[in-house]
Amino acid sequence: MTMGFFIALGCILVFDGVVMAFFAWAVHSPRFARYRIRTPDRQRISNGRKAVNIALNALLALSFFAFVFVYFGDNLIAAESVPGVMIFGEVLASLMLYDFMYYFLHRGMHHPKFMKYVHGVHHYVRFPTSAESIFLHPVENIAGLGLLCIAIAIVGPISAVSFLMVFFIHHVANILVHSNLVLPHPAFKLFNFWAIKHDIHHGKHLNRNYASIFPFWDQMFGTYA
């Protein structure tokens, strides 16, 4: 991994932060009120506690990836570059495998024991926004990131460009599915679909829409709504 790789990774993290901050602001702004999926209701948790949890989980995620890069980097990222069609295949395969495994992780997290002690932390926020995309129990945070790395290692090692694209899509999708906004521009059609499906999971049917990116896992296993 070169210095250019880490600079690109840093740029993605900064961009993710900007996107998260924008959508977290927009969902509470009167300017975007007509685009909300649901109207914010009274929260059961203080903004201060949410901020501490989000900050600590962000730090935990960075520490996790630093550990993985140091000890398992060669299993994830190949030294040689690959042609564009190969990059597309690596990215698609990594994300599909990750989402397949995440479906069962997420579904398992809804077992009463895990919901009570782990995944319930995330669902404790009644009106999740982009900022609450990483409002998690640390066990769930590490489990999700670990699955992403395992999926990449099984498919790969993949090229540095492919890894950055997988990392970017994974993080942006996680932010946007919690946006609670449906924006009218056609460019947001996919993002709107993600946000609506995940809002159903948070608001109406806790036992539906477990997949994060690809809806056909829920369709295949009878949990699509």
Side-chain angles (χ1 to χ4, degrees):
M1 285 174 282
T2 65
M3 182 60 67
F5 170 84
F6 288 106
I7 292 174
L9 188 63
C11 290
I12 290 174
L13 290 172
V14 171
F15 179 81
D16 288 348
V18 172
V19 171
M20 180 184 292
F22 171 77
F23 280 97
W25 164 81
V27 77
H28 294 289
S29 171
R31 184 181 305 177
F32 290 88
R34 65 184 182 275
Y35 303 129
R36 292 176 189 148
I37 298 173
R38 283 189 292 140
T39 302
D41 56 9
R42 194 168 62 121
Q43 297 293 333
R44 295 178 290 179
I45 186 169
S46 68
N47 289 331
R49 183 179 170 188
K50 285 194 291 185
V52 170
N53 179 286
I54 291 167
L56 289 177
N57 270 302
L59 181 61
L60 178 61
L62 290 173
S63 301
F64 173 82
F65 275 110
F67 173 82
V68 168
F69 287 149
V70 170
Y71 293 100
F72 303 101
D74 292 341
N75 300 108
L76 300 177
I77 302 173
E80 66 274 7
S81 59
V82 297
V85 65
M86 190 68 175
I87 291 173
F88 176 81
E90 289 179 340
V91 171
L92 182 60
S94 298
L95 289 173
M96 285 187 67
L97 179 58
Y98 159 75
D99 208 42
F100 175 75
M101 294 190 296
Y102 178 78
Y103 171 88
F104 290 102
L105 172 68
H106 192 183
R107 187 168 183 171
M109 285 285 182
H110 279 256
H111 183 278
K113 290 290 185 182
F114 285 107
M115 177 61 84
K116 181 178 180 180
Y117 295 108
V118 181
H119 191 55
V121 172
H122 183 61
H123 279 276
Y124 196 69
V125 179
R126 289 177 175 174
F127 182 78
T129 68
S130 293
E132 281 83 49
S133 61
I134 56 172
F135 183 85
L136 304 165
H137 190 285
V139 169
E140 183 174 359
N141 190 6
I142 293 299
L145 295 177
L147 276 189
L148 181 64
C149 291
I150 290 170
I152 292 172
I154 292 173
V155 173
I158 63 178
S159 70
V161 173
S162 298
F163 180 91
L164 290 171
M165 291 182 67
V166 170
F167 186 85
F168 174 79
I169 294 171
H170 170 269
H171 279 57
V172 169
N174 190 45
I175 292 169
L176 293 177
V177 298
H178 291 92
S179 68
N180 254 298
L181 290 171
V182 174
L183 301 178
H185 195 280
F188 289 95
K189 186 174 182 179
L190 176 60
F191 305 145
N192 294 340
F193 173 81
W194 283 340
I196 291 170
K197 290 301 175 186
H198 200 66
D199 181 75
I200 290 173
H201 174 76
H202 271 275
K204 297 178 181 178
H205 301 292
L206 289 178
N207 60 344
R208 294 289 186 269
N209 298 348
Y210 294 115
S212 178
I213 301 173
F214 300 101
F216 43 74
W217 302 128
D218 284 293
Q219 294 169 337
M220 184 180 298
F221 297 109
T223 53
Y224 183 85

